[in-house]
């Protein structure tokens, strides 16, 4: 589990100077759970952060190095000090994220169409609409159809710098499409299918039509311990933490978020 511990403390917002994912190539040899490989563009560690960083670069240096600029947006996020206390980001990182967020979303809110635009840019050879829809709903915890900056950055903090358990809880929320506290086979199949649809021809080996279904069946054989047809969050976390093959496959999400 050394690789998992490394992932837990890895806090870089962006990859190295060559644009390569420092965690690439960690897949155990001979593993049944082959992690799909992506094009160089898709190997960016976090699509959402790269979108923000690119926006900040296009906007140019911001003359304000102090607190978050709140006056130009209709929705005003909580203060910088509070966000710094609630996340694993530094003050400068939060400022950089906010500048890009504000540049792309002047209203202070992200809608679902923005998510679809982001992922269509990073995965041009696939159909990212369905996965972007599921991911948007995972960030939109109050289900009001929009994501505030604080919701956005709190989610990113967990995904990029949270503990293994925190990341697994977030992944469970993504799988739990109707937010009833259980994952069904239908829900997991919908997520897996949307990921493969988004990756398109960059998936190696080539994806068979029944690949998502096979993955779901293998997941449920291990996770649904009482055989009641659903997976609870306790079953999900306990099984993932004990099974290195499942943990390896779960790293897929860190490459497509």
């Amino acid at each position: 589990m050394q690789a998992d511990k490394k992932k837990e403390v890895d806090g870089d917002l962006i990859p190295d100077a060559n644009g390569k994912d420092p965690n690439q190539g960690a897949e155990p040899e001979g593993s049944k759970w082959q992690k799909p490989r992506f094009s160089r563009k898709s190997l960016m560690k976090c699509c959402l952060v790269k979108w923000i960083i690119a926006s900040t670069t296009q906007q140019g240096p911001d003359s304000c190095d102090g607190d978050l600029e709140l006056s130009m947006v209709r929705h005003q996020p909580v203060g910088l000090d509070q966000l710094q206390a609630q996340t694993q980001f530094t003050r400068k990182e939060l400022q950089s994220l906010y500048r890009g967020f504000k540049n792309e979303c002047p209203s202070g809110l992200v809608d679902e169409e923005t998510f679809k635009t982001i992922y269509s840019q990073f995965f041009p050879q696939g159909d990212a609409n369905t996965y972007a829809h599921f991911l948007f709903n995972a960030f939109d915890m109050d289900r009001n159809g929009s994501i505030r900056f604080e919701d956005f950055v709190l989610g990113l903090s967990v995904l990029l710098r949270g503990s293994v358990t925190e990341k697994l809880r977030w992944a469970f929320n993504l799988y739990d499409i109707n937010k009833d506290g259980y994952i069904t086979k239908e829900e997991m199949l919908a997520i897996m299918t949307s990921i493969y649809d988004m990756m398109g021809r960059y998936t190696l080996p080539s994806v068979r039509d029944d690949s998502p279904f096979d993955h779901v069946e293998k997941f449920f054989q291990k996770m649904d311990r009482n055989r009641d047809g659903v997976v609870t969050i306790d079953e999900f976390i306990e099984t993932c933490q004990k099974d290195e093959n499942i943990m390896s496959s779960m790293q897929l999400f860190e490459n497509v978020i």
Side-chain angles (χ1 to χ4, degrees):
M1 298 294 289
Q2 292 298 319
D4 293 334
K5 292 180 180 178
K6 179 180 184 298
K7 299 284 284 187
E8 182 175 346
V9 299
D10 183 4
D12 291 342
L13 276 178
I14 56 178
D16 63 24
N18 295 320
K20 296 179 180 179
D21 186 339
N23 297 308
Q24 185 182 6
E27 180 73 8
E29 184 176 354
S31 170
K32 294 181 180 179
W33 301 84
Q34 282 192 306
K35 183 170 63 176
R37 303 177 180 89
F38 307 104
S39 67
R40 179 180 177 184
K41 178 179 289 187
S42 300
L43 277 170
M44 295 174 178
K45 186 172 182 180
C46 179
C47 296
L48 296 175
V49 169
K50 294 298 290 184
W51 166 68
I52 288 292
I53 297 300
S55 176
T56 305
T57 302
Q58 293 168 5
Q59 185 183 25
D62 195 310
S63 59
C64 177
D65 292 326
D67 210 334
L68 292 177
E69 297 177 29
L70 305 179
S71 61
M72 298 301 293
V73 295
R74 290 193 292 273
H75 169 75
Q76 296 188 355
V78 300
L80 179 59
D81 291 338
Q82 183 176 341
L83 283 178
Q84 189 174 355
Q86 292 175 333
T87 69
Q88 300 296 321
F89 294 130
T90 67
R91 188 181 186 89
K92 287 187 176 181
E93 288 169 342
L94 286 169
Q95 289 171 334
S96 179
L97 288 170
Y98 185 71
R99 285 194 293 267
F101 184 94
K102 184 184 66 175
N103 190 50
E104 290 291 336
C105 308
S107 69
L109 300 170
V110 173
D111 59 21
E112 185 171 332
E113 289 306 311
T114 299
F115 260 65
K116 291 179 179 179
T117 300
I118 295 169
Y119 280 88
S120 66
Q121 293 171 355
F122 284 103
F123 298 90
Q125 301 303 320
D127 182 355
N129 284 338
T130 303
Y131 179 75
H133 167 74
F134 291 139
L135 187 60
F136 178 85
N137 285 340
F139 276 94
D140 182 19
M141 295 299 295
D142 55 7
R143 310 302 289 271
N144 67 355
S146 61
I147 300 171
R148 304 169 300 169
F149 175 72
E150 49 265 50
D151 298 327
F152 183 77
V153 79
L154 285 169
L156 286 183
S157 179
V158 171
L159 292 168
L160 294 175
R161 296 179 179 173
S163 66
V164 170
T165 300
E166 288 171 335
K167 290 180 180 180
L168 289 175
R169 286 185 178 276
W170 202 96
F172 181 91
N173 178 59
L174 177 65
Y175 278 125
D176 181 15
I177 295 174
N178 66 0
K179 312 306 178 194
D180 65 351
Y182 302 94
I183 299 174
T184 64
K185 284 187 178 181
E186 290 76 16
E187 287 175 321
M188 185 172 285
L189 180 60
I191 298 292
M192 293 301 300
T193 301
S194 71
I195 291 174
Y196 282 112
D197 287 345
M198 180 175 65
M199 292 188 301
R201 66 181 180 86
Y202 289 122
T203 305
L204 295 174
S206 298
V207 179
R208 306 186 316 274
D209 289 341
D210 58 352
S211 291
F213 178 81
D214 289 344
H215 275 109
V216 171
E217 288 297 315
K218 291 176 182 178
F219 270 125
F220 261 77
Q221 286 175 10
K222 295 185 177 183
M223 290 185 178
D224 184 14
R225 298 191 172 188
N226 61 359
R227 298 295 184 263
D228 63 351
V230 296
V231 173
T232 66
I233 191 167
D234 291 335
E235 288 176 322
F236 183 83
I237 292 176
E238 183 178 356
T239 305
C240 286
Q241 289 180 330
K242 289 184 176 179
D243 194 305
E244 293 187 10
N245 285 334
I246 291 182
M247 281 297 293
S248 177
S249 69
M250 289 300 298
Q251 292 174 7
L252 168 64
F253 289 108
E254 296 185 25
N255 288 328
V256 294
I257 291 177

